[in-house]
Amino acid sequence: MTSRLSEALRGLADGVPAAAVPEELFDRARARHRRRRAAAAGALAVVMLLLGAGYALRAGSVRWPTAADSTAPGLPTRLVDPPLRTASVGQSAPGAAAMLFGGPAVRDGWNENRMGVVAGDADRYRVLAPAERQTAGFEALLSPDGRYVWAGGLLYDLTSGRSTRAGMDGYPLAFAPGGKRLAYADHETFTPPNTYATPYVGLYDRDRHTDVLRMRVGVAWVPPGRAAVSPDGAELAVQVRDEVWLARVADADPDGTAGPYRKLPLNGGRLPGAGAWLPDGRSVATLTRSTCTDCPVPSYPRTWRLETHTVADGAMVPGPAFPDLRSATYVHLVGWRSADEAVALVGVPGPAAVDRPETHDIATSPHQEHGTASVQLVLLRRGAASPDVLFRTPAGITELTVAASLAIDGAVRESGSPDFGPPPIWLVAAAAILIASAGAALQSLVGYLRRRRHREADGRRRAGSDSSA
Amino acid sequence: MNEDRTRAGFAEFVRAENAASTRFAYLLTGDRQHAEDLVQVALARVAVRWERLDDPGAYLRRVLYTQAASWWRWRRARPPEQLDGFVPDRPAGPGDDVDLRMVLQAALARLTVRQRAVLVLRYYEDRTEAETAKLLGSRIGTVKSQTRHALGRLRSLAPELAEFVGRTPQEVTR
């Protein structure tokens, strides 16, 4: 029966003439294939370019599903070096930060201005790269609530990833405890051969978009980290040479300028940074400097002791002494848990640190003492024999500042798996090029193997036909 | 030089395969014009991959089948056309039955492309089930079932073809 079907099918088809095949079909087909392949590759390249450009020029930051578990905000127990692929704050906003940090582990030859931030509620790491190198805790400050980084004349909003002009022309000195007012120093003047002077220190109100106070200085340079705003934002304390100058917003002229209403002598000491004002706003802390004999780092005997003075008459507030901070390059007060408990960041000297006198020409020195190897967050209690170390930066992270609200509340969270955000555009481009190169190499290899196999098969066929002939 | 040899090899292949592949395509589509288009498209694909093909003939049939299936899908989306009852351009021989061929052609047109391809490969090109399966890229079991379904459908569509396709599925087992 099936032979009848075969016959019937042949009866249907046998009269069909062979298709007309153009002579040039071979060349035309191959040329068309080459053109289509080139067009497809071009279209793919254009799409990749458009996607890459869109990714690089997008308006907002990328919402990135974080690997880190979100918890109640707190200072992390561990800090890691952000790898090269870490997203920037502009690419993917981390949220309010717990820490802003820097150091050799964060920077490299290609990213010499790089700083890292880690979020308060999870281990979301992001990086910032201002136009000029800034030192975290000195020229780059974190607002008390951790929402803003103030660096290089810009305010980076860590919750949106956007940055705006800070509103004034000068370098940062301190956030007010409420975060609404910013103390800054006008750019210094230079008188040859080596005299620098800060014309004035301003207090900028972010709500009013204007200075509410400009304290004239003019006689000395005010380095970063040597100013503090009172808890109510109405008074300013600035270290000018060996004195703390105090000025009030209420005393300002209509143009905002005012002179100091009091000058407290430092006697070789320092104003300990943004947290110098006590919570009551009637006392200010200072540091006295001495030399230890049984120092943790014998080559660096510099010792700091915290004292508090009333602003009314400069008298020292009575009470048990705070513990000495021995072998400490610098001390920055973050804030106060009570009048007897202060939280501070303390610089730990490394082997290269040299204990220079306070009169050393600061104009030629870095803002953070050279040789600081790590930073400790410590709790200083009146009457305690030694400070309680709450946190210490790992090797390679030599600059640190923290969100004051978390440090003062003692909010600490266990560190988890770090999240470094979406890959940066250069990494996406590099991966695309790598994949395309690997694909092209693989295609070439497969093509080569096929051609070789075909040549061998041709050779066998020819050999077979020769032998049969 | 190498390109010339490749071109010559392809030309030889076309000369050897053109007629058979056109008939194969015609039985798949039931239309001479479409069969010719199909053969040209398939040969163009063979030309592009010529150096990489171990068995160009098998690849040619595979492309004819897949393109016919694609064309089939396209055609099904269009209003159905009336079969024109094509009569081959040759004088009818003593054994020819024109009515029967028209019935067979109409019945073939009602099969799926895969069923037609299986029937054509098995009964027109006399290929084994294994060869058919390899050419269509399917399993032998599928070829068997498709053959059975195709013959069964031909029987139901045109009872007068019973003597060609057998009365029961067992009769068609090779």
Side-chain angles (χ1 to χ4, degrees), chain A residues 100 117 128 140-143 147-151 154-156 158:
Chain A
L100 170 70
V117 290
L128 278 168
L141 303 178
L142 188 61
S143 65
R147 180 174 173 180
Y148 295 98
V149 169
W150 181 16
L154 296 175
L155 270 179
Y156 296 86
L158 302 181

Side-chain angles (χ1 to χ4, degrees), chain A residues 176 180-183 201-205 208 210-215 228-237 245-262 277:
Chain A
K180 291 292 183 188
R181 290 186 171 175
L182 314 173
V201 172
L203 186 60
Y204 178 81
D205 189 294
R208 296 189 207 171
T210 185
D211 286 349
V212 292
L213 176 64
R214 283 187 176 185
M215 185 176 75
V229 184
S230 64
D232 60 0
E235 292 193 48
L236 189 60
W245 289 11
L246 302 170
R248 284 189 288 250
V249 173
D251 296 341
D253 296 336
D255 65 351
T257 57
Y261 71 88
R262 185 154 291 110
W277 285 88

Side-chain angles (χ1 to χ4, degrees), chain A residues 100-423:
Chain A
L100 170 70
F101 56 94
V106 183
R107 296 185 286 264
D108 59 42
W110 293 99
N111 302 281
E112 51 190 19
N113 302 334
R114 201 164 174 254
M115 291 183 291
V117 290
V118 58
D121 62 342
D123 279 19
R124 281 188 299 276
Y125 285 82
R126 301 292 185 268
V127 291
L128 278 168
E132 292 178 14
R133 182 166 164 180
Q134 316 286 340
T135 306
F138 287 78
E139 301 146 298
L141 303 178
L142 188 61
S143 65
D145 61 0
R147 180 174 173 180
Y148 295 98
V149 169
W150 181 16
L154 296 175
L155 270 179
Y156 296 86
D157 186 344
L158 302 181
T159 59
S160 69
R162 296 191 182 94
S163 58
T164 53
R165 300 292 310 169
M168 81 295 286
D169 192 21
Y171 55 88
L173 290 178
F175 272 99
K180 291 292 183 188
R181 290 186 171 175
L182 314 173
Y184 71 96
D186 187 24
H187 292 296
E188 63 271 12
T189 58
F190 175 65
T191 306
N194 60 352
T195 303
Y196 292 85
T198 300
Y200 65 87
V201 172
L203 186 60
Y204 178 81
D205 189 294
R206 287 177 49 218
D207 290 337
R208 296 189 207 171
H209 303 287
T210 185
D211 286 349
V212 292
L213 176 64
R214 283 187 176 185
M215 185 176 75
R216 291 180 294 273
V217 180
V219 295
W221 182 62
V222 177
R226 304 288 176 88
V229 184
S230 64
D232 60 0
E235 292 193 48
L236 189 60
V238 180
Q239 179 179 346
V240 179
R241 292 194 185 280
D242 200 25
E243 293 173 327
V244 175
W245 289 11
L246 302 170
R248 284 189 288 250
V249 173
D251 296 341
D253 296 336
D255 65 351
T257 57
Y261 71 88
R262 185 154 291 110
K263 296 179 180 178
L264 305 179
L266 280 170
N267 301 317
R270 283 186 188 177
L271 181 74
W277 285 88
L278 270 75
D280 62 4
R282 293 197 295 271
S283 306
V284 69
T286 60
L287 292 164
T288 58
R289 178 174 165 164
S290 60
T291 303
C292 54
T293 52
D294 53 344
C295 305
V297 182
S299 62
Y300 201 92
R302 185 186 297 184
T303 298
W304 299 103
R305 175 176 284 186
L306 196 63
E307 292 175 349
T308 55
H309 300 264
T310 60
V311 294
D313 54 9
M316 198 164 82
V317 176
F322 287 97
D324 285 343
L325 292 157
R326 295 174 299 156
S327 293
T329 56
Y330 70 91
V331 177
H332 276 183
L333 286 186
V334 175
W336 296 78
R337 291 187 181 174
S338 68
D340 298 328
E341 287 182 319
V343 182
L345 290 163
V346 178
V348 179
V354 178
D355 184 8
R356 299 192 187 281
E358 204 65 9
T359 53
H360 182 69
D361 185 1
I362 195 75
T364 59
S365 301
H367 304 146
Q368 183 187 30
E369 275 81 349
H370 178 70
T372 299
S374 66
V375 182
Q376 289 179 337
L377 182 69
V378 300
L379 179 64
L380 303 169
R381 283 197 188 92
R382 279 190 189 275
S386 60
D388 295 340
V389 178
L390 307 175
F391 181 85
R392 179 169 177 157
T393 56
I397 295 181
T398 57
E399 302 157 14
L400 174 74
T401 185
V402 298
S405 60
L406 299 177
I408 292 168
D409 293 345
V412 176
R413 63 173 175 80
E414 197 63 37
S415 290
S417 167
D419 163 58
F420 300 111

Side-chain angles (χ1 to χ4, degrees), chain B residues 97-129:
Chain B
D97 185 333
V98 174
D99 290 341
L100 207 57
R101 282 209 306 274
M102 288 174 65
V103 170
L104 177 60
Q105 190 176 27
L108 280 174
R110 302 284 298 276
L111 300 182
T112 66
V113 173
R114 179 181 273 199
Q115 287 171 341
R116 259 182 284 158
V118 167
L119 285 189
V120 172
L121 288 169
R122 295 278 282 115
Y123 299 115
Y124 177 71
E125 295 203 343
D126 285 330
R127 295 187 184 267
T128 64
E129 287 169 341

Side-chain angles (χ1 to χ4, degrees), chain B residues 79-104:
Chain B
E81 295 171 15
Q82 187 67 37
L83 286 171
D84 59 0
F86 162 72
V87 180
D89 296 338
R90 63 170 187 151
D96 285 341
D97 185 333
V98 174
D99 290 341
L100 207 57
R101 282 209 306 274
M102 288 174 65
V103 170
L104 177 60

Side-chain angles (χ1 to χ4, degrees), chain B residues 3-172:
Chain B
E3 184 77 3
D4 289 345
R5 202 164 59 226
T6 307
R7 195 179 288 107
F10 178 75
E12 190 180 335
F13 170 77
V14 171
R15 275 194 296 277
E17 290 284 342
N18 190 14
S21 61
T22 306
R23 288 171 194 148
F24 179 78
Y26 172 72
L27 289 173
L28 283 184
T29 61
D31 184 289
R32 287 170 66 183
Q33 190 58 49
H34 282 140
E36 191 163 327
D37 290 347
L38 208 57
V39 168
Q40 290 188 359
V41 168
L43 284 173
R45 296 237 176 149
V46 171
V48 167
R49 292 164 182 77
W50 179 251
E51 291 92 340
R52 305 197 293 267
L53 294 174
D54 290 333
D55 186 351
Y59 181 73
L60 178 65
R61 273 156 183 75
R62 182 78 182 274
V63 174
L64 286 171
Y65 161 64
T66 54
Q67 287 298 303
S70 174
W71 175 79
W72 177 254
R73 281 194 288 273
W74 168 79
R75 185 171 182 262
R76 285 187 68 166
R78 295 168 68 87
E81 295 171 15
Q82 187 67 37
L83 286 171
D84 59 0
F86 162 72
V87 180
D89 296 338
R90 63 170 187 151
D96 285 341
D97 185 333
V98 174
D99 290 341
L100 207 57
R101 282 209 306 274
M102 288 174 65
V103 170
L104 177 60
Q105 190 176 27
L108 280 174
R110 302 284 298 276
L111 300 182
T112 66
V113 173
R114 179 181 273 199
Q115 287 171 341
R116 259 182 284 158
V118 167
L119 285 189
V120 172
L121 288 169
R122 295 278 282 115
Y123 299 115
Y124 177 71
E125 295 203 343
D126 285 330
R127 295 187 184 267
T128 64
E129 287 169 341
E131 286 171 341
T132 303
K134 192 177 172 189
L135 283 171
L136 298 183
S138 57
R139 292 177 302 176
I140 292 178
T142 307
V143 170
K144 285 180 177 174
S145 66
Q146 289 293 318
T147 307
R148 194 167 62 247
H149 291 149
L151 293 175
R153 188 149 172 78
L154 284 182
R155 271 196 299 275
S156 65
L157 287 170
E160 56 269 48
L161 295 176
E163 60 177 306
F164 289 82
V165 298
R167 295 189 186 281
T168 61
Q170 285 77 15
E171 290 178 52
V172 301

